[in-house]
Amino acid sequence: MKRFKDQIISELEKIKSDGLLRKMDILESGDFPYITVNGRHYINFSSNNYLALNGHKLIKEAMSQATEKYGTSASASRLISGNIEIFEQAEAILALFKGKESALIFNSGYQANLSVISTLFNEKDVIFSDELNHASIIDGCRLSKAKIFVYRHNDMNHLEDILQSTDGRRKVIITDGVFSMDGDIADLPQICYLAERYDAIVIVDDAHSTGVLGVNGAGTESHFGLKNDYIFVLGTGGKALGGGGAFFCCPKYVRDYLINRCRGFIYSTALPPSVPAGLIAAINIIKNETVRVSRLKELSLYIHKALKRLNINTSSAPSHITPIIIGDSLKTLNLAQNLLKNHIYVKAIRPPTVPPNTSRIRISLTSLHTEADIDKLISLLSPTAKEINVYESKRA
């Protein structure tokens, strides 16, 4: 026991000395655009509540009504006695929302990626994965035991090179729709072209695209005006949709296969019935309150222009996710702490969340932020950025 304790403490000290130690803050309010932490009020630029639907009256009402009708828990996996009708209703609506034949709800985006990828593919198959894909995709690929080829971020020439030289029983190209730490969008039209040419399917993780991109927030595929049966899409409910859970949209035969073979689905107690009820309400709100999406786009352009004027190293195009890429972990941590002192709530994003030497401040916008909120951030960033040599950093 002593050896174990000493080893763990030693590893923690190393994490701390490298500027990579993480701690959890306790929010005294919900995760809204304006929050309270330890009695201090902040403008929150760290939330994925992009459309500010968290706490929306209609979502709360829908979740409350579902709780009254069905109870507070599904109490079992859906293959036992937990397949309450609201799940099937939500899946039909989510599939229609994404333009797919069917959908299957999972407890979280991480669980969905881990479970779906490792179910559909094995050591006989080949996976082509963008180097900046989310950790849940990476872990799902590893668990599948398929041959994994990582292509350079959004580099379609590199992707084609490895597609040409590799074969397997099944081939799949997996990518984020909007990349969670960079805010850029996958080149889905070219990915689809290559998928058709080399007989592969495509899985798109739309966690940060759902509700934000495309017609009525339908996501990356809709954003590019694509509609292909070989594109399977993951969406999450805990970000722009203001609820919880996740959903995988695919052909019905794939859904049927997952129900029979997917361990992460088969052996998990279903979500509380209030969750799918909230997802249904969120989809209806997005369709009826389109100003939320348009407002988010306005703010994304506003902050992008402001950062470019300061010559700060950020994304190449406006996005609701806007990185300030610094490189050094300790400098990034110092910037985050300085902003916190001035009531701007941000987090220093450091390895292993991002590649080495690409530490950053990740600015997340919601439709309820204002230009004044962004102006305050910019006014604090300018002198602070000079002190920590943001201008000298190079994006990896």
Side-chain angles (χ1 to χ4, degrees):
M1 176 64 186
K2 183 180 184 300
R3 180 165 54 179
F4 174 84
K5 179 180 178 181
D6 290 345
Q7 290 169 348
I8 295 298
I9 290 175
S10 176
E11 290 181 29
L12 281 171
E13 288 299 323
K14 178 65 166 59
I15 292 171
K16 184 177 181 180
S17 67
D18 290 341
L20 301 177
L21 188 68
R22 291 162 170 79
K23 294 182 179 179
M24 294 190 292
D25 295 329
I26 300 174
L27 275 64
E28 296 157 23
S29 59
D31 193 11
F32 304 122
Y34 309 99
I35 59 173
T36 303
V37 181
N38 296 326
R40 287 172 58 86
H41 302 297
Y42 297 90
I43 302 170
N44 182 12
F45 283 115
S46 287
S47 175
N48 296 327
N49 183 24
Y50 303 126
L51 299 182
L53 290 183
N54 181 9
H56 192 288
K57 178 183 178 181
L58 295 179
I59 294 177
K60 290 195 291 186
E61 288 178 354
M63 295 181 77
S64 177
Q65 290 170 7
T67 300
E68 285 295 322
K69 182 175 182 179
Y70 302 113
T72 57
S73 172
S75 302
S77 73
R78 288 177 63 189
L79 285 171
I80 302 299
S81 63
N83 193 34
I84 300 167
E85 59 183 349
I86 193 71
F87 285 96
E88 298 279 347
Q89 294 165 8
E91 285 166 345
I93 289 169
L94 291 166
L96 185 63
F97 173 60
K98 287 289 188 179
K100 300 299 174 185
E101 186 179 13
S102 66
L104 191 64
I105 289 175
F106 287 83
N107 289 12
S108 72
Y110 191 97
Q111 183 208 32
N113 272 328
L114 210 67
S115 303
V116 169
I117 296 169
S118 62
T119 300
L120 295 180
F121 309 101
N122 62 31
E123 64 275 3
K124 299 177 183 178
D125 304 318
V126 185
I127 296 174
F128 305 89
S129 178
D130 189 290
E131 67 175 334
L132 295 187
N133 277 342
H134 190 266
S136 59
I137 295 175
I138 295 170
D139 291 350
C141 292
R142 289 170 176 167
L143 188 61
S144 74
K145 299 182 181 179
K147 297 175 186 176
I148 303 166
F149 293 86
V150 177
Y151 61 91
R152 291 187 292 271
H153 178 53
N154 253 344
D155 187 334
M156 297 298 102
N157 290 328
H158 187 216
L159 175 58
E160 182 164 22
D161 286 345
I162 54 179
L163 279 165
Q164 281 179 326
S165 60
T166 311
D167 201 7
R169 183 188 62 162
R170 299 172 185 162
K171 292 189 287 187
V172 58
I173 305 167
I174 304 181
T175 181
D176 279 341
V178 169
F179 290 85
S180 62
M181 293 298 139
D182 290 73
D184 56 344
I185 305 173
D187 188 354
L188 194 56
Q190 187 65 15
I191 288 173
C192 288
Y193 165 77
L194 293 174
E196 288 183 350
R197 185 171 184 180
Y198 296 100
D199 192 24
I201 66 165
V202 178
I203 294 179
V204 181
D205 184 339
D206 253 355
H208 296 274
S209 317
T210 298
V212 177
L213 295 185
V215 179
N216 292 326
T220 309
E221 191 176 358
S222 173
H223 172 76
F224 286 111
L226 302 171
K227 187 174 177 59
N228 294 304
D229 291 340
Y230 59 81
I231 302 177
F232 307 160
V233 181
L234 171 85
T236 53
K239 297 178 176 65
L241 300 188
F247 47 96
F248 188 69
C249 299
C250 56
K252 185 179 180 300
Y253 71 88
V254 175
R255 181 182 188 270
D256 290 343
Y257 185 81
L258 292 172
I259 289 171
N260 283 277
R261 286 289 183 266
C262 183
R263 294 172 66 85
F265 176 81
I266 295 169
Y267 299 109
S268 290
T269 297
L271 289 163
S274 58
V275 175
L279 294 177
I280 293 171
I283 299 301
N284 290 331
I285 293 166
I286 292 171
K287 291 178 180 178
N288 294 323
E289 299 181 14
T290 56
V291 67
R292 291 176 182 268
V293 175
S294 59
R295 178 60 177 156
L296 186 62
K297 290 180 180 177
E298 290 173 2
L299 292 170
S300 301
L301 181 60
Y302 188 85
I303 192 171
H304 187 261
K305 287 182 176 179
L307 291 173
K308 286 296 184 182
R309 282 195 296 269
L310 292 176
N311 198 31
I312 286 177
N313 192 14
T314 187
S315 52
S316 58
S319 174
H320 52 293
I321 300 169
T322 303
I324 299 169
I325 304 172
I326 298 161
D328 182 79
S329 296
L330 289 172
K331 290 179 179 179
T332 305
L333 192 60
N334 289 337
L335 175 56
Q337 290 172 344
N338 184 70
L339 292 171
L340 284 171
K341 290 177 184 177
N342 289 279
H343 300 274
I344 300 290
Y345 192 84
V346 295
K347 289 292 184 177
I349 308 298
R350 297 154 288 164
T353 306
V354 293
N357 303 314
T358 68
S359 292
R360 67 199 62 192
I361 302 295
R362 176 185 183 268
I363 305 299
S364 297
L365 298 175
T366 81
S367 59
L368 284 186
H369 281 124
T370 66
E371 285 82 359
D373 295 333
I374 294 172
D375 290 342
K376 180 175 181 180
L377 170 66
I378 296 299
S379 70
L380 293 166
L381 268 179
S382 182
T384 308
K386 291 176 183 177
E387 292 172 10
I388 59 170
N389 300 319
V390 167
Y391 305 108
E392 297 176 9
S393 66
K394 292 183 180 180
R395 190 172 185 185

